[in-house]
Amino acid sequence: MTAIAQDYSDLTIIIPTLNEEKSIGQLLGLLEEISPKVNVIVSDDGSKDKTKEIVESHQGSVNTFFLDRKNEAIHGLTASVIDAICKCQTPYFMVMDGDLQHPPEVVPDFHEMLNQGFNLVAGNRVEVAGKWGLYRKLMSYTAVLLGRLALAIRRKNKVKDIMTGLYGSEASLWKDVIKENREKFTLEGYKVLFDFLKIYPQKLKVGYVDYVFGTRNTGESKITKKVIWLYFKSLF
Ligand SMILES: Nc1nc2c(ncn2[C@@H]2O[C@H](COP(=O)(O)OP(=O)(O)OP(=O)(O)O)[C@@H](O)[C@H]2O)c(=O)[nH]1
Ligand SMILES: [Mg+2]
């Protein structure tokens, strides 16, 4: 399904970044082409490279805001995403990585489904491009399984791929949850969607957009043992 929507001004794309100078400019350029008038918040945790300069120089048809979290007390992907959601001025938001592993071409599908009334649209990894080693495959598989189990036991909403960093939803819904439950999010962790689903009490209308998780061609992975440990801890 590909929408031919002309105006994306009701959507904010949130991109958490840490040292993504090699990909962020290209990503913003592609978003400009694919989704005119979309709003972008790049939520950055104090990149030491040129990420900030590149984002600030990128004022095309996309309305870009650089959220500088350099001096925040708590750094982390989750903290960066939820702070950006609180700054959203549009009814809908989407989150995607800054390293081009999430294809910007899926934005129209997310936009259309959000406009159709899905409360939550989750990216569904149907394939991983490139080769993942056995260890990473096993970690990912186990993490998804345990995450789904943890949500099922709590009788919460689930998504097929609970590990996805590609998802969209209604800003007001998340703002309310964040306002009341900020301390329940694992702020230094990675799995924002999992944290949200663990907290959110009501039934959500969930939709999916299939995508191929690309290979990271530039920059470096930021996944650390600490991030993995924080996720497994948050299951309980
Ligand atoms: N603001 C912020 N962004 C982060 C942090 N850690 C990672 N990111 C960004 O979050 C996105 C996902 O991080 P990645 O390291 O690519 O994680 P991943 O895609 O699961 O792992 P790889 O496949 O190894 O790239 C990227 O845009 C990173 O720059 C952080 O602590 N703060
Ligand atoms: Mg990545």
Side-chain angles (χ1 to χ4, degrees):
M1 176 185 38
T2 304
I4 313 180
Q6 297 300 315
D7 185 343
Y8 291 77
S9 56
D10 56 356
L11 178 69
T12 301
I13 300 178
I14 294 169
I15 308 173
T17 53
L18 196 56
N19 300 324
E20 300 293 2
E21 67 176 7
K22 295 191 177 125
S23 51
I24 193 68
Q26 192 188 344
L27 175 57
L28 293 175
L30 289 166
L31 289 174
E32 277 167 25
E33 278 172 31
I34 294 164
S35 42
K37 295 196 184 147
V38 78
N39 303 277
V40 176
I41 300 179
V42 176
S43 192
D44 185 87
D45 252 335
S47 290
K48 300 255 185 306
D49 63 3
K50 298 231 162 355
T51 300
K52 182 175 183 177
E53 288 85 335
I54 294 169
V55 172
E56 287 179 343
S57 71
H58 240 278
Q59 292 291 348
S61 62
V62 169
N63 177 20
T64 312
F65 177 71
F66 186 81
L67 178 57
D68 197 344
R69 303 191 70 261
K70 187 171 63 185
N71 298 321
E72 291 292 332
I74 299 179
H75 295 285
L77 195 148
T78 296
S80 302
V81 168
I82 68 174
D83 282 0
I85 292 171
C86 293
K87 294 246 176 309
C88 258
Q89 291 181 349
T90 55
Y92 308 118
F93 74 89
M94 259 186 82
V95 181
M96 66 163 42
D97 290 355
D99 57 5
L100 286 165
Q101 283 184 288
H102 294 148
E105 296 77 20
V106 297
V107 170
D109 293 341
F110 276 87
H111 183 248
E112 185 170 311
M113 290 179 81
L114 290 168
N115 272 283
Q116 281 170 357
F118 286 92
N119 310 117
L120 174 67
V121 183
N124 183 42
R125 260 182 310 174
V126 286
E127 196 186 313
V128 176
K131 286 203 168 51
W132 269 12
L134 186 66
Y135 174 73
R136 182 139 191 207
K137 269 191 203 154
L138 202 69
M139 281 301 285
S140 176
Y141 182 77
T142 313
V144 170
L145 203 73
L146 293 179
R148 285 179 58 86
L149 194 69
L151 293 172
I153 289 168
R154 291 174 170 88
R155 295 177 186 273
K156 301 290 187 183
N157 296 279
K158 293 190 289 298
V159 296
K160 291 181 197 168
D161 177 10
I162 193 64
M163 292 295 101
T164 187
L166 178 67
Y167 49 91
S169 189
E170 294 161 7
S172 60
L173 196 133
W174 282 60
K175 280 182 189 176
D176 290 344
V177 169
I178 295 165
K179 206 165 122 199
E180 303 291 323
N181 303 278
R182 195 183 157 84
E183 78 291 347
K184 291 192 186 149
F185 283 82
T186 305
L187 297 172
E188 293 168 291
Y190 253 46
K191 300 307 164 195
V192 196
L193 183 54
F194 175 71
D195 289 353
F196 171 80
L197 292 174
K198 224 169 80 176
I199 299 165
Y200 191 71
Q202 279 149 39
K203 182 102 190 92
L204 293 167
K205 187 177 173 196
V206 180
Y208 294 99
V209 172
D210 290 345
Y211 76 102
V212 176
F213 190 63
T215 32
R216 182 186 256 284
N217 293 319
T218 56
E220 280 170 22
S221 174
K222 279 91 200 177
I223 295 183
T224 56
K225 288 207 176 91
K226 183 183 168 193
V227 161
I228 297 168
W229 163 241
L230 283 172
Y231 170 65
F232 283 106
K233 220 171 84 179
S234 75
L235 291 167
F236 303 102

